[in-house]
Amino acid sequence: MPKAGIIYNDVKPVAGRVATELKDQLTAAGWDVCVTASIGGILGYSNPDSPVCRTPVEALTPPGFDSDMEFAVVLGGDGTVLAASRQVAPCGIPLLTVNTGHMGFLTEAYLNQLPQALEQVMAGEYEIEERVMLTVKVLRGDAVLWEALCLNEMVLHREPLTSMCHFEIEIGHHAAVDIAADGVIVSTPTGSTAYSLSAGGPVITPGVPVLQLVPICPHSLASRALVFPNNEPVNIYPVNIPRLVMVVDGNGGCYVLSEDRVYLERSPYTAKFIRLQSPEFFRVLREKLGWGLPHIAKPNSVELP
């Protein structure tokens, strides 16, 4: 009996309703179906008085989800996709992402396209696009205090108010650099269209094997976004702030104290996305962010999204 999964945003009633209907449909078609909420992939915040809050990467995988699962349908927005990626990446399960949220930059289909998309996936008529992920760790000496998988970006900054921080950053075996800024972002190509884009970083197409470091509001004309190979690990040391907060993929993280360091490296796991047609990143940029539209619209020159 073939096996499929459903991961849905349990905060959105429409996603819960569709998940139930979809399970019944797949079960009737002879599939073994496992259902879980995306909240299991949400990273919790540690308490300021107890900054250690470790959940091992593999512990986020929901019961019943394993490498025998042919695919999983994700019902939600971009946040749900990010959470689902952390849940199933260790098992290598391909994700059919269906937008029930707002922008849905990472999603493949809209809700009204689900019947046709599901039929296509069940027939095996699709491609799989792999996206690089990061392993993010907070270490004190050699002890791992906290870890997570990251598809978009890691952000390190001061709270509750934004102010100047100094970071000593080592990339691979290169000489350490000092950056004074409100915070720093380390982003994958997937995350280059998220926070790092707003902070002035470049858009990077998904297939390029690089990461980028983006200072947030740097106090230097020389501190700008840096793109480097994704096989080089990154160590970040807070210099002048007793406590920083780290956020991964915009939904959770932990506190980083002055004696800690943040370590990032390319993860052995990747996020696998089902594409119903050949991946076309520029089309998504055009439809979702308006990239490449002419500054003067002419008749028949462009199809607006």
Side-chain angles (χ1 to χ4, degrees):
M1 179 181 292
K3 189 175 183 180
I6 300 173
I7 303 173
Y8 69 99
N9 184 344
D10 58 343
V11 176
K12 297 182 180 295
V14 63
R17 174 179 55 80
V18 174
T20 301
E21 295 172 353
L22 185 58
K23 179 184 179 182
D24 293 342
Q25 179 183 348
L26 288 170
T27 301
W31 288 72
D32 179 18
V33 184
C34 297
V35 181
T36 189
S38 62
I39 192 171
I42 298 296
L43 302 172
Y45 287 96
S46 52
N47 187 289
D49 298 322
S50 179
V52 179
C53 183
R54 183 185 181 190
T55 302
V57 165
E58 290 78 6
L60 295 181
T61 302
F65 284 70
D66 53 38
S67 57
D68 294 331
M69 188 170 281
E70 294 192 20
F71 68 90
V73 179
V74 180
L75 301 167
D78 289 331
T80 306
V81 174
L82 294 170
S85 298
R86 284 190 292 272
Q87 289 174 287
V88 305
C91 303
I93 301 172
L95 298 175
L96 172 62
T97 53
V98 181
N99 185 21
T100 65
H102 298 288
M103 177 178 287
F105 193 89
L106 298 175
T107 57
E108 179 66 9
Y110 292 97
L111 197 54
N112 62 350
Q113 300 170 323
L114 178 55
Q116 180 182 354
L118 187 62
E119 181 179 344
Q120 191 172 336
V121 171
M122 293 171 67
E125 300 172 353
Y126 60 86
E127 299 180 25
I128 293 179
E129 181 186 18
E130 296 193 44
R131 296 287 185 96
V132 167
M133 302 185 79
L134 292 173
T135 298
V136 183
K137 297 181 179 181
V138 176
L139 300 102
R140 186 169 300 161
D142 294 328
V144 178
L145 304 183
W146 190 91
E147 64 178 340
L149 282 177
C150 170
L151 178 57
N152 263 2
E153 76 280 295
M154 182 284 307
V155 182
L156 188 62
H157 63 89
R158 183 177 179 177
E159 69 158 16
L161 300 175
T162 302
S163 62
M164 191 65 61
C165 306
H166 285 265
F167 304 92
E168 186 176 282
I169 301 175
E170 297 175 353
I171 298 176
H173 298 291
H174 301 289
V177 296
D178 181 85
I179 290 180
D182 287 356
V184 291
I185 303 169
V186 177
S187 167
T188 66
T190 299
S192 70
T193 53
Y195 194 176
S196 65
L197 177 65
S198 299
V203 173
I204 301 174
T205 55
V208 182
V210 297
L211 303 174
Q212 63 172 318
L213 171 70
V214 183
I216 302 172
C217 299
H219 191 60
S220 171
L221 293 174
S223 294
R224 290 296 176 260
L226 174 69
V227 177
F228 57 94
N230 66 12
N231 61 355
E232 295 188 316
V234 180
N235 283 287
I236 303 176
Y237 303 85
V239 175
N240 67 325
I241 302 297
R243 189 177 75 199
L244 298 172
V245 66
M246 183 180 69
V247 178
V248 173
D249 284 347
N251 73 62
C254 76
Y255 286 89
V256 179
L257 306 185
S258 57
E259 61 265 35
D260 301 334
R261 66 183 169 102
V262 176
Y263 176 80
L264 305 98
E265 64 179 353
R266 178 175 176 172
S267 172
Y269 306 125
T270 59
K272 297 183 178 180
F273 294 116
I274 289 175
R275 301 305 183 200
L276 303 176
Q277 53 187 335
S278 296
E280 180 42 71
F281 183 66
F282 287 0
R283 176 183 60 81
V284 178
L285 281 182
R286 181 187 183 112
E287 291 179 355
K288 303 292 185 178
L289 296 180
W291 182 83
L293 294 178
H295 68 284
I296 299 178
K298 301 177 182 178
N300 303 321
S301 66
V302 62
E303 293 183 8
L304 293 175

